[in-house]
Amino acid sequence: VWCGGGQLPGRLDRSTAHMLADVADQHGDGEIRLTPWHGVIVSGVRASLADRVCGQLDVAGFATAPSSPVHRVIACAGLGCPSGVVDTQADGAAVVKALGDTAVHVSGCAKRCASHDTWPVVLEGGPQPGTYSVFRDGALVAAGVSPADAIAMVRSL
């Protein structure tokens, strides 16, 4: 079977990558697949070990429960991209912690590269560097708000 989990937006650090490699070597077929949605999949796991592998992914910070808010937030590269004007990775992680049941796309600019799907709530970088425009169901709710204010707005949308 395959065992997977989602991660808070951000970069996969070295120690977590080594842990994943160890889990894949010990309990799977040695392969790790990274998903565009901040997730990882360990393939070739014996069904009898699936719960153990999922537990190890949870310990490493990957959400294996389908109900986790991690699975309802996507964030682009943000400041890691020449077009990004906000730290979408850090702000995306903060959105996960503030999130209710709403799905949120955190984008560093108007291109919305992380996802071209329709999202109920979008935080879009701009119009000034370091600010967001907030959209709900495609309609502009606020423009030029700080990341903290945009994240606070997510709770009420």
Side-chain angles (χ1 to χ4, degrees):
V1 298
W2 290 14
C3 297
Q7 187 181 36
L8 288 174
R11 301 215 179 344
L12 182 64
D13 64 41
R14 182 182 302 222
S15 64
T16 305
H18 283 290
M19 186 282 311
L20 284 170
D22 289 343
V23 168
D25 284 341
Q26 292 172 13
H27 304 297
D29 61 11
E31 282 195 25
I32 302 167
R33 297 171 188 242
L34 304 177
T35 75
W37 308 279
H38 307 288
V40 298
I41 297 169
V42 177
S43 59
V45 175
R46 287 192 314 249
S48 63
L49 296 176
D51 288 340
R52 178 186 295 174
V53 171
C54 284
Q56 289 175 323
L57 292 175
D58 281 327
V59 168
F62 292 93
T64 59
S67 61
S68 172
V70 166
H71 304 300
R72 295 190 305 277
V73 175
I74 192 164
C76 72
L79 295 176
C81 170
S83 299
V85 297
V86 284
D87 187 355
T88 58
Q89 300 291 297
D91 296 339
V95 166
V96 168
K97 294 175 183 168
L99 196 61
D101 291 332
T102 304
V104 180
H105 177 187
V106 185
S107 181
C109 72
K111 293 188 294 183
R112 299 186 184 180
C113 293
S115 175
H116 294 289
D117 291 334
T118 302
W119 288 74
V121 175
V122 175
L123 304 184
E124 179 182 290
Q128 296 86 27
T131 68
Y132 283 104
S133 293
V134 180
F135 295 84
R136 172 69 177 180
D137 295 326
L140 180 65
V141 175
V145 298
S146 71
D149 289 342
I151 293 163
M153 291 178 75
V154 166
R155 291 186 198 129
S156 65
L157 294 175

PDB file of all heavy atoms in Angstrom, residues 23-55:
ATOM      1  N   VAL A  23      12.264   5.514   6.716  1.00  0.00           N
ATOM      2  CA  VAL A  23      10.965   4.846   6.742  1.00  0.00           C
ATOM      3  C   VAL A  23      10.732   4.110   5.424  1.00  0.00           C
ATOM      4  O   VAL A  23      10.302   2.950   5.404  1.00  0.00           O
ATOM      5  CB  VAL A  23       9.822   5.851   7.020  1.00  0.00           C
ATOM      6  CG1 VAL A  23       8.461   5.227   6.773  1.00  0.00           C
ATOM      7  CG2 VAL A  23       9.919   6.376   8.447  1.00  0.00           C
ATOM      8  N   ALA A  24      11.043   4.771   4.302  1.00  0.00           N
ATOM      9  CA  ALA A  24      10.834   4.149   2.985  1.00  0.00           C
ATOM     10  C   ALA A  24      11.731   2.932   2.803  1.00  0.00           C
ATOM     11  O   ALA A  24      11.302   1.919   2.239  1.00  0.00           O
ATOM     12  CB  ALA A  24      11.104   5.165   1.877  1.00  0.00           C
ATOM     13  N   ASP A  25      12.956   3.004   3.301  1.00  0.00           N
ATOM     14  CA  ASP A  25      13.876   1.866   3.179  1.00  0.00           C
ATOM     15  C   ASP A  25      13.472   0.710   4.090  1.00  0.00           C
ATOM     16  O   ASP A  25      13.528  -0.455   3.702  1.00  0.00           O
ATOM     17  CB  ASP A  25      15.308   2.290   3.519  1.00  0.00           C
ATOM     18  CG  ASP A  25      15.964   3.089   2.409  1.00  0.00           C
ATOM     19  OD1 ASP A  25      15.484   3.029   1.251  1.00  0.00           O
ATOM     20  OD2 ASP A  25      16.952   3.787   2.706  1.00  0.00           O
ATOM     21  N   GLN A  26      13.049   1.026   5.320  1.00  0.00           N
ATOM     22  CA  GLN A  26      12.738  -0.007   6.301  1.00  0.00           C
ATOM     23  C   GLN A  26      11.366  -0.645   6.091  1.00  0.00           C
ATOM     24  O   GLN A  26      11.188  -1.837   6.341  1.00  0.00           O
ATOM     25  CB  GLN A  26      12.807   0.579   7.715  1.00  0.00           C
ATOM     26  CG  GLN A  26      14.201   0.961   8.141  1.00  0.00           C
ATOM     27  CD  GLN A  26      14.191   1.706   9.470  1.00  0.00           C
ATOM     28  OE1 GLN A  26      13.187   1.735  10.181  1.00  0.00           O
ATOM     29  NE2 GLN A  26      15.316   2.325   9.812  1.00  0.00           N
ATOM     30  N   HIS A  27      10.389   0.150   5.673  1.00  0.00           N
ATOM     31  CA  HIS A  27       9.011  -0.345   5.644  1.00  0.00           C
ATOM     32  C   HIS A  27       8.344  -0.308   4.276  1.00  0.00           C
ATOM     33  O   HIS A  27       7.213  -0.770   4.137  1.00  0.00           O
ATOM     34  CB  HIS A  27       8.146   0.450   6.625  1.00  0.00           C
ATOM     35  CG  HIS A  27       8.664   0.430   8.025  1.00  0.00           C
ATOM     36  ND1 HIS A  27       8.779  -0.724   8.764  1.00  0.00           N
ATOM     37  CD2 HIS A  27       9.114   1.432   8.814  1.00  0.00           C
ATOM     38  CE1 HIS A  27       9.264  -0.431   9.960  1.00  0.00           C
ATOM     39  NE2 HIS A  27       9.485   0.862  10.009  1.00  0.00           N
ATOM     40  N   GLY A  28       9.017   0.268   3.283  1.00  0.00           N
ATOM     41  CA  GLY A  28       8.436   0.374   1.947  1.00  0.00           C
ATOM     42  C   GLY A  28       9.385  -0.160   0.900  1.00  0.00           C
ATOM     43  O   GLY A  28      10.296  -0.937   1.206  1.00  0.00           O
ATOM     44  N   ASP A  29       9.181   0.291  -0.331  1.00  0.00           N
ATOM     45  CA  ASP A  29      10.039  -0.158  -1.419  1.00  0.00           C
ATOM     46  C   ASP A  29      11.208   0.791  -1.673  1.00  0.00           C
ATOM     47  O   ASP A  29      11.889   0.692  -2.679  1.00  0.00           O
ATOM     48  CB  ASP A  29       9.225  -0.365  -2.699  1.00  0.00           C
ATOM     49  CG  ASP A  29       8.550   0.908  -3.198  1.00  0.00           C
ATOM     50  OD1 ASP A  29       8.862   2.011  -2.689  1.00  0.00           O
ATOM     51  OD2 ASP A  29       7.701   0.802  -4.103  1.00  0.00           O
ATOM     52  N   GLY A  30      11.436   1.729  -0.760  1.00  0.00           N
ATOM     53  CA  GLY A  30      12.548   2.664  -0.870  1.00  0.00           C
ATOM     54  C   GLY A  30      12.212   3.945  -1.616  1.00  0.00           C
ATOM     55  O   GLY A  30      13.051   4.829  -1.722  1.00  0.00           O
ATOM     56  N   GLU A  31      10.994   4.052  -2.131  1.00  0.00           N
ATOM     57  CA  GLU A  31      10.609   5.248  -2.881  1.00  0.00           C
ATOM     58  C   GLU A  31       9.803   6.216  -2.014  1.00  0.00           C
ATOM     59  O   GLU A  31       8.975   5.810  -1.208  1.00  0.00           O
ATOM     60  CB  GLU A  31       9.761   4.885  -4.098  1.00  0.00           C
ATOM     61  CG  GLU A  31      10.560   4.355  -5.245  1.00  0.00           C
ATOM     62  CD  GLU A  31       9.757   4.349  -6.535  1.00  0.00           C
ATOM     63  OE1 GLU A  31       8.800   5.128  -6.683  1.00  0.00           O
ATOM     64  OE2 GLU A  31      10.108   3.538  -7.403  1.00  0.00           O
ATOM     65  N   ILE A  32      10.068   7.499  -2.243  1.00  0.00           N
ATOM     66  CA  ILE A  32       9.301   8.584  -1.637  1.00  0.00           C
ATOM     67  C   ILE A  32       8.826   9.458  -2.785  1.00  0.00           C
ATOM     68  O   ILE A  32       9.620   9.827  -3.655  1.00  0.00           O
ATOM     69  CB  ILE A  32      10.163   9.441  -0.692  1.00  0.00           C
ATOM     70  CG1 ILE A  32      10.761   8.594   0.407  1.00  0.00           C
ATOM     71  CG2 ILE A  32       9.341  10.591  -0.116  1.00  0.00           C
ATOM     72  CD1 ILE A  32      11.859   9.302   1.167  1.00  0.00           C
ATOM     73  N   ARG A  33       7.557   9.767  -2.789  1.00  0.00           N
ATOM     74  CA  ARG A  33       7.021  10.655  -3.824  1.00  0.00           C
ATOM     75  C   ARG A  33       6.568  11.948  -3.159  1.00  0.00           C
ATOM     76  O   ARG A  33       5.858  11.914  -2.156  1.00  0.00           O
ATOM     77  CB  ARG A  33       5.855   9.988  -4.541  1.00  0.00           C
ATOM     78  CG  ARG A  33       6.311   8.730  -5.266  1.00  0.00           C
ATOM     79  CD  ARG A  33       5.140   7.952  -5.788  1.00  0.00           C
ATOM     80  NE  ARG A  33       5.603   6.681  -6.288  1.00  0.00           N
ATOM     81  CZ  ARG A  33       5.485   6.291  -7.553  1.00  0.00           C
ATOM     82  NH1 ARG A  33       4.913   7.082  -8.428  1.00  0.00           N
ATOM     83  NH2 ARG A  33       5.923   5.115  -7.920  1.00  0.00           N
ATOM     84  N   LEU A  34       7.006  13.050  -3.716  1.00  0.00           N
ATOM     85  CA  LEU A  34       6.590  14.362  -3.233  1.00  0.00           C
ATOM     86  C   LEU A  34       5.433  14.833  -4.104  1.00  0.00           C
ATOM     87  O   LEU A  34       5.473  14.703  -5.324  1.00  0.00           O
ATOM     88  CB  LEU A  34       7.744  15.358  -3.306  1.00  0.00           C
ATOM     89  CG  LEU A  34       9.016  14.955  -2.565  1.00  0.00           C
ATOM     90  CD1 LEU A  34      10.103  16.006  -2.775  1.00  0.00           C
ATOM     91  CD2 LEU A  34       8.743  14.771  -1.082  1.00  0.00           C
ATOM     92  N   THR A  35       4.405  15.382  -3.475  1.00  0.00           N
ATOM     93  CA  THR A  35       3.238  15.843  -4.226  1.00  0.00           C
ATOM     94  C   THR A  35       3.262  17.364  -4.350  1.00  0.00           C
ATOM     95  O   THR A  35       3.904  18.047  -3.545  1.00  0.00           O
ATOM     96  CB  THR A  35       1.924  15.418  -3.539  1.00  0.00           C
ATOM     97  OG1 THR A  35       1.717  16.245  -2.385  1.00  0.00           O
ATOM     98  CG2 THR A  35       1.949  13.945  -3.149  1.00  0.00           C
ATOM     99  N   PRO A  36       2.555  17.910  -5.323  1.00  0.00           N
ATOM    100  CA  PRO A  36       2.477  19.370  -5.455  1.00  0.00           C
ATOM    101  C   PRO A  36       1.705  20.025  -4.308  1.00  0.00           C
ATOM    102  O   PRO A  36       1.696  21.241  -4.196  1.00  0.00           O
ATOM    103  CB  PRO A  36       1.720  19.580  -6.773  1.00  0.00           C
ATOM    104  CG  PRO A  36       1.737  18.287  -7.474  1.00  0.00           C
ATOM    105  CD  PRO A  36       1.912  17.218  -6.430  1.00  0.00           C
ATOM    106  N   TRP A  37       1.064  19.236  -3.482  1.00  0.00           N
ATOM    107  CA  TRP A  37       0.226  19.753  -2.398  1.00  0.00           C
ATOM    108  C   TRP A  37       0.906  19.631  -1.044  1.00  0.00           C
ATOM    109  O   TRP A  37       0.246  19.463  -0.021  1.00  0.00           O
ATOM    110  CB  TRP A  37      -1.118  19.023  -2.403  1.00  0.00           C
ATOM    111  CG  TRP A  37      -1.727  19.057  -3.763  1.00  0.00           C
ATOM    112  CD1 TRP A  37      -2.438  20.098  -4.319  1.00  0.00           C
ATOM    113  CD2 TRP A  37      -1.639  18.049  -4.758  1.00  0.00           C
ATOM    114  NE1 TRP A  37      -2.787  19.783  -5.596  1.00  0.00           N
ATOM    115  CE2 TRP A  37      -2.308  18.521  -5.907  1.00  0.00           C
ATOM    116  CE3 TRP A  37      -1.043  16.796  -4.809  1.00  0.00           C
ATOM    117  CZ2 TRP A  37      -2.410  17.789  -7.067  1.00  0.00           C
ATOM    118  CZ3 TRP A  37      -1.152  16.069  -5.969  1.00  0.00           C
ATOM    119  CH2 TRP A  37      -1.831  16.561  -7.076  1.00  0.00           C
ATOM    120  N   HIS A  38       2.228  19.723  -1.018  1.00  0.00           N
ATOM    121  CA  HIS A  38       3.009  19.673   0.221  1.00  0.00           C
ATOM    122  C   HIS A  38       2.882  18.333   0.930  1.00  0.00           C
ATOM    123  O   HIS A  38       2.894  18.256   2.152  1.00  0.00           O
ATOM    124  CB  HIS A  38       2.624  20.795   1.187  1.00  0.00           C
ATOM    125  CG  HIS A  38       2.680  22.153   0.591  1.00  0.00           C
ATOM    126  ND1 HIS A  38       3.853  22.784   0.303  1.00  0.00           N
ATOM    127  CD2 HIS A  38       1.698  22.989   0.196  1.00  0.00           C
ATOM    128  CE1 HIS A  38       3.603  23.952  -0.236  1.00  0.00           C
ATOM    129  NE2 HIS A  38       2.303  24.090  -0.315  1.00  0.00           N
ATOM    130  N   GLY A  39       2.763  17.293   0.174  1.00  0.00           N
ATOM    131  CA  GLY A  39       2.619  15.972   0.759  1.00  0.00           C
ATOM    132  C   GLY A  39       3.727  15.036   0.337  1.00  0.00           C
ATOM    133  O   GLY A  39       4.517  15.324  -0.562  1.00  0.00           O
ATOM    134  N   VAL A  40       3.781  13.921   1.033  1.00  0.00           N
ATOM    135  CA  VAL A  40       4.718  12.852   0.705  1.00  0.00           C
ATOM    136  C   VAL A  40       3.965  11.533   0.685  1.00  0.00           C
ATOM    137  O   VAL A  40       2.967  11.363   1.388  1.00  0.00           O
ATOM    138  CB  VAL A  40       5.889  12.753   1.702  1.00  0.00           C
ATOM    139  CG1 VAL A  40       6.722  14.013   1.708  1.00  0.00           C
ATOM    140  CG2 VAL A  40       5.406  12.426   3.093  1.00  0.00           C
ATOM    141  N   ILE A  41       4.456  10.622  -0.132  1.00  0.00           N
ATOM    142  CA  ILE A  41       3.895   9.282  -0.198  1.00  0.00           C
ATOM    143  C   ILE A  41       5.043   8.294  -0.100  1.00  0.00           C
ATOM    144  O   ILE A  41       6.034   8.414  -0.822  1.00  0.00           O
ATOM    145  CB  ILE A  41       3.124   9.060  -1.510  1.00  0.00           C
ATOM    146  CG1 ILE A  41       1.934  10.016  -1.577  1.00  0.00           C
ATOM    147  CG2 ILE A  41       2.664   7.613  -1.632  1.00  0.00           C
ATOM    148  CD1 ILE A  41       1.278  10.068  -2.936  1.00  0.00           C
ATOM    149  N   VAL A  42       4.917   7.350   0.812  1.00  0.00           N
ATOM    150  CA  VAL A  42       5.861   6.238   0.914  1.00  0.00           C
ATOM    151  C   VAL A  42       5.170   5.055   0.263  1.00  0.00           C
ATOM    152  O   VAL A  42       4.086   4.644   0.684  1.00  0.00           O
ATOM    153  CB  VAL A  42       6.219   5.930   2.387  1.00  0.00           C
ATOM    154  CG1 VAL A  42       7.146   4.733   2.478  1.00  0.00           C
ATOM    155  CG2 VAL A  42       6.832   7.154   3.055  1.00  0.00           C
ATOM    156  N   SER A  43       5.774   4.509  -0.790  1.00  0.00           N
ATOM    157  CA  SER A  43       5.122   3.435  -1.545  1.00  0.00           C
ATOM    158  C   SER A  43       5.669   2.067  -1.161  1.00  0.00           C
ATOM    159  O   SER A  43       6.733   1.948  -0.558  1.00  0.00           O
ATOM    160  CB  SER A  43       5.298   3.669  -3.043  1.00  0.00           C
ATOM    161  OG  SER A  43       6.658   3.730  -3.392  1.00  0.00           O
ATOM    162  N   GLY A  44       4.903   1.050  -1.530  1.00  0.00           N
ATOM    163  CA  GLY A  44       5.332  -0.324  -1.311  1.00  0.00           C
ATOM    164  C   GLY A  44       5.347  -0.765   0.140  1.00  0.00           C
ATOM    165  O   GLY A  44       6.126  -1.640   0.525  1.00  0.00           O
ATOM    166  N   VAL A  45       4.480  -0.203   0.957  1.00  0.00           N
ATOM    167  CA  VAL A  45       4.418  -0.558   2.381  1.00  0.00           C
ATOM    168  C   VAL A  45       3.526  -1.795   2.536  1.00  0.00           C
ATOM    169  O   VAL A  45       2.443  -1.866   1.948  1.00  0.00           O
ATOM    170  CB  VAL A  45       3.828   0.619   3.197  1.00  0.00           C
ATOM    171  CG1 VAL A  45       3.637   0.231   4.658  1.00  0.00           C
ATOM    172  CG2 VAL A  45       4.716   1.852   3.064  1.00  0.00           C
ATOM    173  N   ARG A  46       4.001  -2.766   3.296  1.00  0.00           N
ATOM    174  CA  ARG A  46       3.140  -3.921   3.589  1.00  0.00           C
ATOM    175  C   ARG A  46       1.923  -3.432   4.367  1.00  0.00           C
ATOM    176  O   ARG A  46       2.038  -2.619   5.288  1.00  0.00           O
ATOM    177  CB  ARG A  46       3.899  -4.964   4.402  1.00  0.00           C
ATOM    178  CG  ARG A  46       4.937  -5.722   3.600  1.00  0.00           C
ATOM    179  CD  ARG A  46       5.449  -6.927   4.354  1.00  0.00           C
ATOM    180  NE  ARG A  46       5.778  -6.635   5.737  1.00  0.00           N
ATOM    181  CZ  ARG A  46       7.016  -6.630   6.232  1.00  0.00           C
ATOM    182  NH1 ARG A  46       8.035  -6.937   5.473  1.00  0.00           N
ATOM    183  NH2 ARG A  46       7.216  -6.349   7.483  1.00  0.00           N
ATOM    184  N   ALA A  47       0.753  -3.933   4.009  1.00  0.00           N
ATOM    185  CA  ALA A  47      -0.494  -3.493   4.630  1.00  0.00           C
ATOM    186  C   ALA A  47      -0.440  -3.630   6.146  1.00  0.00           C
ATOM    187  O   ALA A  47      -0.973  -2.790   6.871  1.00  0.00           O
ATOM    188  CB  ALA A  47      -1.673  -4.263   4.057  1.00  0.00           C
ATOM    189  N   SER A  48       0.228  -4.651   6.639  1.00  0.00           N
ATOM    190  CA  SER A  48       0.311  -4.863   8.094  1.00  0.00           C
ATOM    191  C   SER A  48       1.128  -3.779   8.787  1.00  0.00           C
ATOM    192  O   SER A  48       1.035  -3.624  10.005  1.00  0.00           O
ATOM    193  CB  SER A  48       0.906  -6.239   8.388  1.00  0.00           C
ATOM    194  OG  SER A  48       2.239  -6.316   7.890  1.00  0.00           O
ATOM    195  N   LEU A  49       1.916  -3.010   8.037  1.00  0.00           N
ATOM    196  CA  LEU A  49       2.750  -1.957   8.622  1.00  0.00           C
ATOM    197  C   LEU A  49       2.213  -0.551   8.359  1.00  0.00           C
ATOM    198  O   LEU A  49       2.822   0.439   8.765  1.00  0.00           O
ATOM    199  CB  LEU A  49       4.180  -2.055   8.076  1.00  0.00           C
ATOM    200  CG  LEU A  49       4.938  -3.332   8.426  1.00  0.00           C
ATOM    201  CD1 LEU A  49       6.302  -3.328   7.744  1.00  0.00           C
ATOM    202  CD2 LEU A  49       5.094  -3.450   9.936  1.00  0.00           C
ATOM    203  N   ALA A  50       1.086  -0.446   7.679  1.00  0.00           N
ATOM    204  CA  ALA A  50       0.567   0.863   7.276  1.00  0.00           C
ATOM    205  C   ALA A  50       0.321   1.781   8.476  1.00  0.00           C
ATOM    206  O   ALA A  50       0.695   2.959   8.443  1.00  0.00           O
ATOM    207  CB  ALA A  50      -0.699   0.708   6.453  1.00  0.00           C
ATOM    208  N   ASP A  51      -0.284   1.268   9.534  1.00  0.00           N
ATOM    209  CA  ASP A  51      -0.544   2.107  10.710  1.00  0.00           C
ATOM    210  C   ASP A  51       0.754   2.591  11.330  1.00  0.00           C
ATOM    211  O   ASP A  51       0.853   3.747  11.749  1.00  0.00           O
ATOM    212  CB  ASP A  51      -1.376   1.354  11.749  1.00  0.00           C
ATOM    213  CG  ASP A  51      -2.821   1.179  11.322  1.00  0.00           C
ATOM    214  OD1 ASP A  51      -3.281   1.944  10.441  1.00  0.00           O
ATOM    215  OD2 ASP A  51      -3.497   0.284  11.865  1.00  0.00           O
ATOM    216  N   ARG A  52       1.761   1.749  11.384  1.00  0.00           N
ATOM    217  CA  ARG A  52       3.056   2.131  11.949  1.00  0.00           C
ATOM    218  C   ARG A  52       3.696   3.233  11.100  1.00  0.00           C
ATOM    219  O   ARG A  52       4.202   4.219  11.623  1.00  0.00           O
ATOM    220  CB  ARG A  52       4.005   0.940  12.034  1.00  0.00           C
ATOM    221  CG  ARG A  52       5.383   1.339  12.579  1.00  0.00           C
ATOM    222  CD  ARG A  52       6.371   0.218  12.537  1.00  0.00           C
ATOM    223  NE  ARG A  52       5.940  -0.850  13.437  1.00  0.00           N
ATOM    224  CZ  ARG A  52       6.540  -2.016  13.522  1.00  0.00           C
ATOM    225  NH1 ARG A  52       7.587  -2.280  12.775  1.00  0.00           N
ATOM    226  NH2 ARG A  52       6.110  -2.933  14.353  1.00  0.00           N
ATOM    227  N   VAL A  53       3.662   3.071   9.785  1.00  0.00           N
ATOM    228  CA  VAL A  53       4.261   4.065   8.892  1.00  0.00           C
ATOM    229  C   VAL A  53       3.510   5.397   8.998  1.00  0.00           C
ATOM    230  O   VAL A  53       4.133   6.461   9.085  1.00  0.00           O
ATOM    231  CB  VAL A  53       4.304   3.552   7.434  1.00  0.00           C
ATOM    232  CG1 VAL A  53       4.715   4.650   6.471  1.00  0.00           C
ATOM    233  CG2 VAL A  53       5.257   2.368   7.332  1.00  0.00           C
ATOM    234  N   CYS A  54       2.185   5.347   9.028  1.00  0.00           N
ATOM    235  CA  CYS A  54       1.410   6.576   9.199  1.00  0.00           C
ATOM    236  C   CYS A  54       1.749   7.251  10.528  1.00  0.00           C
ATOM    237  O   CYS A  54       1.865   8.480  10.597  1.00  0.00           O
ATOM    238  CB  CYS A  54      -0.083   6.305   9.101  1.00  0.00           C
ATOM    239  SG  CYS A  54      -0.638   6.034   7.403  1.00  0.00           S
ATOM    240  N   GLY A  55       1.933   6.471  11.570  1.00  0.00           N
ATOM    241  CA  GLY A  55       2.335   7.013  12.868  1.00  0.00           C
ATOM    242  C   GLY A  55       3.684   7.703  12.797  1.00  0.00           C
ATOM    243  O   GLY A  55       3.882   8.774  13.388  1.00  0.00           O
TER     244      GLY A  55
END
